[in-house]
Amino acid sequence: MSENIRSIFMRYLPHIRKLYGVHLRKVILQWTPRAENSVDESDVILLILVDLREGEIEQYSEYMSAICSDMLIEYSIWANPVVKSVDQLRSDIAQGRIDETISNEQSVVYEADEKN
């Protein structure tokens, strides 16, 4: 993963942590450059795992979209947030809709303490 993408994203992580609060479990960052070695014109997927039900997740979508819009305006990075409960992710992995290797160590940018 590009350290440039990671460092840019880390500027926005506090906003995501504030938005979801104690419900935030893990944030996984994956990116695909459209041009080799380029930060500009990149697509970023933010897999955000929360301990909320599906209906509750939707309540946060407007603010999450604003965070991603800021990344696009400031850095030309298109960030696509995918917010799921831990149970939804397990189900998607079990049904083959998401590869279980998605949360490799390098792509995890935030993980809540087990105490929370």
Side-chain angles (χ1 to χ4, degrees), residues 9 29 32 39 49 56 66 103:
F9 173 75
L29 174 66
T32 305
V39 172
L49 300 178
E56 295 172 317
S103 65

Side-chain angles (χ1 to χ4, degrees), residues 12-13 41 48 53 82 100:
Y12 292 92
L13 184 59
E41 299 298 322
I48 301 168
R53 292 182 301 232
V82 177
E100 66 183 309

